Amino acid sequence: GENVEQHPSTLSVQEGDSAVIKCTYSDSASNYFPWYKQELGKGPQLIIDIRSNVGEKKDQRIAVTLNKTAKHFSLHITETQPEDSAVYFCAASKETSGSRLTFGEGTQLTVNP
Amino acid sequence: GAGVSQTPSNKVTEKGKYVELRCDPISGHTALYWYRQSLGQGPEFLIYFQGTGAADDSGLPNDRFFAVRPEGSVSTLKIQRTERGDSAVYLCASSPPGLTGANVLTFGAGSRLTVL
């Protein structure tokens, strides 16, 4: 089955700096890679996703890059703000109906004001 | 509803008891998923429903766990003879019909289960 590894497990940055979180996956058949943000006491919230037919996707301050050859993908947050502080999870799956998401272990991001 | 609703938000029970956790998905979402999240970990897949049927239950850890979705909307996750190791947050998610939306999951806030 799929295995997703995520690092770092914790990341602390100053407000305004950039943050980068990296993930690797094992199943070359995976073609859908979402990122979720989870705040304390809440469920994961989808913030951005990328499919294997593109190498990069951007949405305002958030961008995701995908390297299918190396089987890794990354989340980039620019101009970080204190409200970006949360746990971020990467995930991978095949893009078929019902295909399970395999999650990484999460990165606790802290943005210091 | 506007989002995925899960009840109860917190459940404390004693070892050996029976527990039911309920999920009300987004209206019109045909697919429903249950995941389990232990402290400090990412969510782990338990079961997937497409309509009323469990299309993939391979993530259920053992036969003490069972889930139903009798009318293709609300789902109930049932845990028999609870053990301390069952303590976790149980997350429900739903996704819309259609291939491009099939994997775009919206999660509920979860039900935190504590087995004493």
Side-chain angles (χ1 to χ4, degrees):
Chain A
E2 176 66 275
N3 181 54
V4 176
E5 295 189 354
Q6 180 174 349
H7 59 94
S9 56
T10 61
L11 179 59
S12 182
V13 300
Q14 289 299 122
E15 183 177 359
D17 287 351
S18 295
V20 180
I21 302 170
K22 298 182 179 182
C23 289
T24 60
Y25 62 99
S26 62
D27 188 349
S28 57
S30 290
N31 55 8
Y32 175 68
F33 308 94
W35 286 88
Y36 284 84
K37 175 184 181 182
Q38 188 172 29
E39 297 174 318
L40 199 61
K42 297 185 179 180
Q45 178 186 10
L46 179 70
I47 56 171
I48 194 167
D49 57 16
I50 191 167
R51 291 171 172 84
S52 60
N53 56 344
V54 297
E56 184 173 358
K57 183 177 179 180
K58 190 173 181 180
D59 181 5
Q60 299 183 347
R61 297 186 297 109
I62 295 173
V64 58
T65 59
L66 170 65
N67 183 327
K68 283 215 72 179
T69 303
K71 294 206 283 286
H72 67 69
F73 56 113
S74 300
L75 176 71
H76 304 252
I77 306 174
T78 58
E79 300 170 25
T80 53
Q81 302 167 3
E83 51 265 38
D84 294 330
S85 297
V87 179
Y88 291 80
F89 292 97
C90 62
S93 77
K94 301 177 186 65
E95 192 167 20
T96 56
S97 182
S99 182
R100 66 179 68 183
L101 287 172
T102 301
F103 285 82
E105 294 200 343
T107 297
Q108 173 69 63
L109 173 64
T110 303
V111 180
N112 301 299
Chain B
V4 177
S5 176
Q6 292 189 246
T7 54
S9 55
N10 278 286
K11 176 69 176 179
V12 180
T13 192
E14 293 180 341
K15 181 176 178 295
K17 298 289 188 181
Y18 170 80
V19 166
E20 288 190 352
L21 307 175
R22 174 189 165 108
C23 173
D24 198 343
I26 292 173
S27 178
H29 280 195
T30 53
L32 184 146
Y33 303 77
W34 285 98
Y35 283 75
R36 179 168 71 175
Q37 186 175 26
S38 299
L39 191 63
Q41 302 292 316
E44 294 180 316
F45 171 83
L46 294 177
I47 187 170
Y48 154 67
F49 287 90
Q50 182 63 253
T52 60
D56 181 0
D57 65 357
S58 61
L60 295 178
N62 52 59
D63 60 7
R64 294 187 297 104
F65 288 76
F66 189 71
V68 295
R69 194 186 186 199
E71 297 179 356
S73 179
V74 171
S75 175
T76 304
L77 179 65
K78 307 181 180 193
I79 310 174
Q80 299 177 321
R81 305 183 304 281
T82 52
E83 299 177 357
R84 292 192 180 88
D86 298 336
S87 297
V89 175
Y90 290 82
L91 294 165
C92 178
S94 65
S95 66
L99 179 61
T100 53
N103 295 83
V104 183
L105 271 56
T106 300
F107 282 87
S111 292
R112 179 177 297 279
L113 174 66
T114 303
V115 182
L116 300 177

